[in-house]
Structures are given as structure tokens and as C-alpha cells.
Amino acid sequence: MPESGFSKNLQQRYPVSFKIVPEMGGLIPENVRFSEFLQAFPDDSCFPPYLADLAKIEESRYRLINYPPVFPERVRARIVNPALDLLAVNWSNLPDLIVDENVVPAPGTSYVLVWKRPDSGDIKICKAGSDELLALKIVAEGVDSAGAAAEGGISAAAIENLLYRSQQRGLILAPETMIRRPGKFPAGEITNPDFFSSDTFTLQWHITQACDLNCRHCYDRSERKTMAMHQALRVLDTFRDFCTSHNVYGHVSFSGGNPMLYPHFDRVYKEAADRGFMTAVLGNPMPAARIEKMMQVHKPGFYQVSLEGMEEHNDYIRGAGHYRRTMDFLDMLGSFGIYRMVMLTLTRQNMDQVLELAESLTGHAELFTFNRLASVGQGAQLSAVPPELFPGFLSAYMKAAGSNSIMAYKDNLFNLLRWKKDLPAKGGCTGHGCGAAFNFVSVLPDGEVHACRKMPSWIGNIYKQSLSDIYHGFLAEKYRSGSRACSKCPVRPVCGGCLAIGYGHGLDIFTQADPYCFLA
């Protein structure tokens, strides 16, 4: 007997429920919601007791697919996604049941989120956790981050972090970022709009030159005046003003030298967290007590340390005993639940140790990657990888990364290799290829602002100018535009080579390509 149009319509509205109770088409009156129909039955009915809640979720999904609310053309402040339903249910695991019919729901009061993403139009369904509920409450009630942090006894950075995560998932809508590539910027074959704008901005803050190491490849051991506390606060305030006016989430990466040797580090770290910035540390191994003290203020987004190969070579570059101290330190960071990153500076001497080191770091770090040696400062005394060997090295690295999840693709030229292999692009160095003076700047202890710390690239002084004025100045725009030699590159938005490498080779970085480029 052929199915009626009404039954077919029910299958479209309730595809999972219909599989569980295929006879439902002959039971439900037209124009009646299945969830309401089921609520009229006693608990000991023949229907599974969770079916009413499941039907409620499916009704929400159907409505958002076929009759979604209109998204606002412009968002001036954070708002809850108008195409979002928050549903109270009496059974857990229902979102899992929708994608896997073998899941068995269990009794338990919870909330389910059903929403339409404004960017892709995809319908998402998930259980609402405490972070999602808090983020929605803060935005719906118009509570500022500082107030929410004070009420919850946590840092404003933690509040901003969970708001940002909800924004990334489309639960919350926020004003459009002002950090975006201009229309004239060469796109090549890149069509993903995410590569042309950034909703985060990183301040890599070299807060001190003081360092407990003397690495053979250090790019700057010059003397610079120590930043006073009032100057550090000014840096944070001008950065906050910049992020607010450009609708971006601020990320402060404390670096140096060793940032934890800065005499006011604890105070400045707290001030950054209290202003709502995501924080991270690019430093050296430190005692557990120093990490505990930092954790009491705010858990960093990550802590990055460096290794330069296996033990013998690493200790030749960074000092005797450094390798063992770093491995022990990574395990200690793991005990605190801190995301661990390891960076290597790639040279001719250590390129054959990279894959072995990556393998040895499994279980000790969440991410491993490398930067090519920039022949700047003391690094000019070491041997760079011969350009003709670099494509083969990238290929070997990519192959190893297929079975080692901690290996990341930071070098922009990975995207050129991926393009040649007809693979999708990655984000490159800063998520947008070369991010120098785009979604990233470096601030030095004396207030100098550089487009990239790995080479002299002065664009202003944060003691004398606002970060906004520096960012929109002629020099920043020049670095942001990169080399004209890249203008016809098919992967320009996710590449641009490395300006610091070109500088170290004595090239005109604004007209000549990265000497390692293998586009031809």
C-alpha cells in the first residue's frame, strides 16, 4: 500500500522518530506536533519514554531548515543567534541518537542546543554544557566580561575565551572583524573566506631581553631598556582599545628572552587576564611553583618551549642538560592540563632529526612544528637548509604527519606543496599565511613595534603612538602587503613565503620571493 503524503511529510520532519515507530503515520492527526501528541500518552505506553523529547528536537531542526529566522544584516554588539533553540529534555544522549541509531538514551535532565550556523547554513545539534549555558546567559542578559568574572571568581580572560568559543560555533553572533585583507589583495585559487579575515589578533610581547639561555641561533641579544610597570599597563590598554575598535579577540603571547624573568611578570600576566585577553607563554622550562602561581591567575591557552633536535644536538645549541629539563618540564605542564607546544628552528644540522624528535614528543606535547632558520643575529653563524633540499624535507614531514597528530604545518610553503599535490590549504604561519602586521605584531621591551620579530621590521613605538595608528600606518601596510613577487601565486593568501628568510639572505623582501619558493 503506497505511503500517504502525510506519512512522507512525517518522515521528513521526524526521520529518527519514524525509524523507531514506523507506524506513527497512521496514529497522528494532521497539524498536530508529534511531541505534543506523545505527551498525552501515559508513561507506560508502547512508545519509548524518550520519544517525546526526541520529537521536540526533530521539530526544532525541521523548523530551522525550512522556516529559519532572518539573520540581522549587521551586528553591533554580541547577540544570541536568533536561529537557536534551547530545549529542556529529560533524557541524555538524544543528540547522539540522532546520528547513531544504536545509542541508548538514559534518564537525566539536560539541555539541548539546536541552531543554524549563519556562515554555512548547517544545522547543528548538541548537548548544552555549562560553558555554552554561561555564554548564552552572559550575552542574553548583557553582562560584561568583568562583571561575569567577578561574580564567578574567575578571570575575564576565561569569560572571553568561552564567549569566543561560542562565537566560533555560531551560538553567538558578534560584530564583523575589521581585520581583513583588502579587495585588491591577490587571491589566486583560494576561495575560503576564512583566510581573508581574522577574528583574533596576537600581540607577541617580548617583555624582556633577560634570558637564562644563550642559544647559538638567537636573533637578538641586544640590550634594551626594561619596560616599567606603568608602560606595560599602557601597552595592555592600547591593545584593548585596538581590539575593541577592530572587533577582534585579543591574544597576548608573552615572550622574551624568558618572559617569566621580567620582574613584574605576575602582575602584568594578571592585568592581561583581567582585561579579557587570551594568554600564552613562549618561554623556557621553569619551576613548578612559578607555573602554579600563573595557574592561580589564569590558565594559559598554551605554553611553548623549544627543542632543536635530539639530546646531543639540542644541548649543543641551547646548553648542557636543556633537553632533559625540557622533557621533564613538558610532563609537568601536562600534569597541570596546559596545552604544550614545541618549536624547532630548522637548520642544515638538525633537519635529519626532525621526524625522530616529533616521534619522541608523542605523549609529551600536543603540537610540534618548526620555523626555518632566519640568518639574523647569532643565527647567521649557523647553516641554513639548502633550498634545493627543502621540498623533499616538506614531503617527508607531511608523510610522517599522516600518522603523528602532533605535527603541525606552520611553514607557509607547505601550502605550495599541498597545492601541487591537489590538497586543501592550511592556515600557514599565523592562520593567514604570512601574518606580519596583519593579525600579528611584536612589541619589544623599549616599546618598539615590529611586523615580525625574526627580522628588523620597525613600524612604530607603542609608547608614542596608539596601536591603531601604528597598524594603519604606511610601514605596517607595506609589510602586510608582502612581496610583489608573490602577487600571481595561486596560494598567496595562505603563503607569502617568509619575509625574515628573505631578509636573512640579503634580498629585497618587498620585491623578491622567499628564496625557498618552488612555485616554478
Side-chain angles (χ1 to χ4, degrees), residues 315-336:
D315 289 0
Y316 167 74
I317 297 293
R318 291 190 168 266
H322 177 267
Y323 181 90
R324 290 296 174 187
R325 289 199 308 274
T326 301
M327 294 299 287
D328 290 343
F329 181 67
L330 287 169
D331 291 341
M332 186 260 283
L333 289 178
S335 71
F336 284 107

Side-chain angles (χ1 to χ4, degrees), residues 346-357:
L346 185 69
T347 66
R348 179 67 183 89
Q349 287 74 26
N350 68 7
M351 65 182 295
D352 294 332
Q353 300 179 38
V354 171
L355 302 188
E356 182 182 0
L357 178 63

Side-chain angles (χ1 to χ4, degrees), residues 184-485:
K184 64 181 181 181
F185 192 80
E189 298 180 11
I190 302 299
T191 58
N192 187 340
D194 293 341
F195 292 138
F196 294 87
S197 64
S198 177
D199 53 14
T200 63
F201 193 94
T202 297
L203 184 78
Q204 189 181 79
W205 197 358
H206 295 261
I207 200 165
T208 181
Q209 293 290 88
C211 191
D212 48 331
L213 302 177
N214 186 16
C215 304
R216 294 177 181 269
H217 61 340
C218 185
Y219 42 72
D220 187 2
R221 296 295 294 171
S222 64
E223 293 291 330
R224 292 179 183 268
K225 188 175 180 180
T226 300
M227 183 176 289
M229 188 65 218
H230 74 275
Q231 293 170 319
L233 294 178
R234 175 172 177 172
V235 170
L236 291 173
D237 286 340
T238 190
F239 186 45
R240 180 175 58 185
D241 291 343
F242 176 87
C243 292
T244 300
S245 63
H246 289 78
N247 300 327
V248 288
Y249 181 34
H251 177 195
V252 179
S253 288
F254 290 93
S255 187
N258 183 352
M260 285 192 156
L261 298 183
Y262 177 61
H264 309 297
F265 177 81
D266 295 326
R267 169 79 187 281
V268 173
Y269 185 84
K270 183 178 186 304
E271 293 285 349
D274 287 348
R275 284 164 172 77
F277 298 130
M278 176 181 166
T279 58
V281 177
L282 283 62
N284 300 334
M286 296 297 290
R290 294 293 288 117
I291 305 303
E292 287 174 354
K293 194 170 184 180
M294 179 175 63
M295 289 286 287
Q296 289 170 4
V297 174
H298 175 64
K299 179 180 176 180
F302 63 86
Y303 196 116
Q304 178 179 298
V305 295
S306 295
L307 286 171
E308 308 307 337
M310 302 309 293
E311 185 170 4
E312 181 180 356
H313 180 75
N314 177 82
D315 289 0
Y316 167 74
I317 297 293
R318 291 190 168 266
H322 177 267
Y323 181 90
R324 290 296 174 187
R325 289 199 308 274
T326 301
M327 294 299 287
D328 290 343
F329 181 67
L330 287 169
D331 291 341
M332 186 260 283
L333 289 178
S335 71
F336 284 107
I338 296 174
Y339 190 94
R340 302 160 294 180
M341 294 172 56
V342 176
M343 175 66 70
L344 173 141
T345 299
L346 185 69
T347 66
R348 179 67 183 89
Q349 287 74 26
N350 68 7
M351 65 182 295
D352 294 332
Q353 300 179 38
V354 171
L355 302 188
E356 182 182 0
L357 178 63
E359 187 64 29
S360 70
L361 286 169
T362 303
H364 300 281
E366 280 66 57
L367 185 144
F368 167 77
T369 190
F370 67 88
N371 275 324
R372 280 174 280 156
L373 173 72
S375 299
V376 178
Q378 293 181 181
Q381 306 304 313
L382 299 180
S383 299
V385 173
E388 64 272 14
L389 299 181
F390 193 55
F393 169 80
L394 292 182
S395 292
Y397 184 98
M398 280 181 59
K399 182 178 180 180
S403 57
N404 188 339
S405 61
I406 73 169
M407 297 174 68
Y409 299 102
K410 189 176 192 298
D411 195 292
N412 291 328
L413 291 180
F414 273 118
N415 279 320
L416 186 54
L417 181 61
R418 295 181 69 85
W419 173 76
K420 286 178 173 286
K421 293 178 177 290
D422 200 27
L423 296 171
K426 300 284 187 180
C429 184
T430 65
H432 302 81
C434 178
F438 174 59
N439 65 330
F440 169 98
V441 294
S442 292
V443 174
L444 277 53
D446 55 4
E448 285 190 4
V449 181
H450 287 247
C452 175
R453 185 65 180 102
K454 294 193 297 179
M455 65 176 177
S457 50
W458 185 92
I459 57 176
N461 190 297
I462 206 164
Y463 294 164
K464 301 174 182 178
Q465 305 162 270
S466 71
L467 184 55
S468 184
D469 287 344
I470 294 171
Y471 183 82
H472 294 289
F474 167 76
L475 290 174
E477 174 61 32
K478 189 175 182 181
Y479 282 102
R480 196 156 50 239
S481 298
S483 175
R484 292 197 297 273

